Every structure is written in C-alpha cells, then in structure tokens.
Amino acid sequence: MRQVPLEKGRYIIDPIEAVKLCDENTIGIVGILGSTFTGEYEPIEKLNKEIDKFNKKHNLEIPIHVDAASGGFVAPFLQKRLKWDFRLKWVKSINVSGHKFGLVYPGVGWAIWKDKKDLPEDLVFNVNYLGGKMPTFTLNFSKSASQVIGQYYNFVRLGFEGYKNIHEEFREIANNIAKNLKKYDIFDVISEGNDIAVVSWKVKDKVDFNLFLLSERLNYTGWQVPAYTLPDNLSDVVVMRIVIREGFSYEMADLLLKDLEKAIEYCKKIQNI
Ligand SMILES: Cc1ncc(COP(=O)(O)O)c(C=O)c1O
C-alpha cells in the first residue's frame, strides 16, 4: 500500500501526489469522505479528474474506492452538489458506516459497487444451505440483523428531511464550538464541522501548550475529547477533535465549553503560559 504523505497545512490527500504513486500494478486508489483525523472531506472530484487523465494516458482503468464511513450519510443531505459518488466515472465502490453520529446501534456498515462487474466474481461466496443460491460477500457470517432494522427504521421514520435536519443541527453545534475555540489565541481550528460534524484543532506553531494534558483534564469532568498525533510526515503535530453525535444538545455543548475553559486555564497554569 502506498500512502500520500501529509504536509504542513494539508491534512488530506493531494490528488496530484496520489496519482504520481500509481502505476500499472495499482488496483485502486482510495479517497476519504470525512477524514478520521480532522473531519475534512478529501477532494474526490479532483481525484477522479487526475486519475482519468492518468488512465487515458497509460491506457489503464484504475478505479477509485470512496471510504465514506462518516460522510456517506451526511453529504447527500448537506452537500448535495458535492460530487463524490457514482456520478464520477472512476468511483466504482463506496463504503459507509450506518452507526456514525450515533444514528444506529454500533456495528453496521455498507459497501456498494457501481456495477455488478466491479466486484470480482471470485470474491463472492455462494452458499446453498439456506435454500436457493445465496451470494455473500462478508468477512463474518451469522450476525444479528438488529442494526439493519435500526437503520431501516431511521430511513422510514426520518426520511430525507429528518436526516437533513439532524445533520444541520449537528453542524450548527459544531460551528458554535469552533467559533468558541477560535477565541483562544493558542489554537488553530482545522475543521469547523462544515463537512462532517467534527471540530478539530491544533496548537498554533511556536505555542507550547500540551493537548494531551488538556484531554486528560477534560476527562476529569467526564468528557472524552481525544488528543492524538497525525500520521507519517506530520507525526509531530498533535490534534484534538470533538465529534457531535445524536443526543449531544446545545445545552451539553455549553457545558462542554465551560469545562473546556476551566481545563485550558488549568493547563496554562501548570505549564506557566
Ligand atoms: C474514514 C474511516 N473509515 C473507516 C472507519 C471505520 O468505520 P466503522 O466505525 O464502521 O468501523 C472510520 C472510523 O472512524 C473512518 O473514519
């Protein structure tokens, strides 16, 4: 597997750099709709454009898989014009997690292929012992269907408008948290929650403030706000993120912001800032 290294100020894929790593042995290229680390969408449309040029030039058919674990159930409601899916020529498969943002009990995800021919026959396992011919493409066999039913219930119960309202509210709460974080002159907000409802931030260059300590301090008041390092090439950059999920109300956000303020004061005092 070849990875596109991150760069200072760029925490998502660079499509031009990604395509430079492709050759005749490349079986696919992956773009992420909602980076785990910062919550930003990767530019799938641009990736499609670059791989299209490359495929034409070298007479190849390298497809794109979109890991839309977090964004797949957000973009259709909030960013309808954003092209990241099967409207793009080289996007041949997509995965989405149904349980993100607490919208289904954990453990349900979906993978879809653009066309039957995009999923190689020999990866599909055919069983007959349940009666008839049943194709299956899964890593684990028997499993409760409760999450599928939970997801289906939400589709029927919420409908398009329901999902849209929920995600709009998450975005508003995230934006408000981001706005508050910007008041502290020690932080750079990386994502304000305008893609998926994730707010991520780092400490400004040359400021010596320990986000691991802040995370630990917040934990004392019951908040799980992780601090972690970015992947290779930027592994010296520490980021914190807040994911807004179902049940996280405006009131809870206010409580969090109050606790955050106290925790920041504490950390500053400890670090003599
Ligand atoms: C981009 C991305 N892909 C895949 C996953 C894993 O998804 P799941 O929670 O369904 O295991 C995550 C989890 O956060 C993710 O952010």
Side-chain angles (χ1 to χ4, degrees), residues 13 57 60 99 137 164 188 203 207 216 225 262 265:
I13 201 169
K57 185 167 169 198
L60 292 170
H99 58 230
F137 177 68
K164 186 165 170 276
D188 278 331
V203 170
V207 174
E216 191 186 309
V225 184
K262 281 188 216 145
E265 283 314 310

Side-chain angles (χ1 to χ4, degrees), residues 46-91:
K46 178 98 184 357
L47 193 58
N48 181 72
K49 197 174 142 203
E50 292 304 321
I51 202 71
D52 189 47
K53 280 196 259 171
F54 185 85
N55 280 343
K56 273 191 189 128
K57 185 167 169 198
H58 300 281
N59 198 21
L60 292 170
E61 298 205 331
I62 300 174
I64 298 174
H65 172 79
V66 181
D67 179 350
S70 294
F73 276 122
V74 176
F77 308 107
L78 294 190
Q79 298 96 7
K80 270 187 356 195
R81 296 224 178 106
L82 183 75
K83 285 197 185 152
W84 61 276
D85 48 18
F86 295 143
R87 284 171 288 178
L88 300 174
K89 180 175 175 188
W90 294 106
V91 175

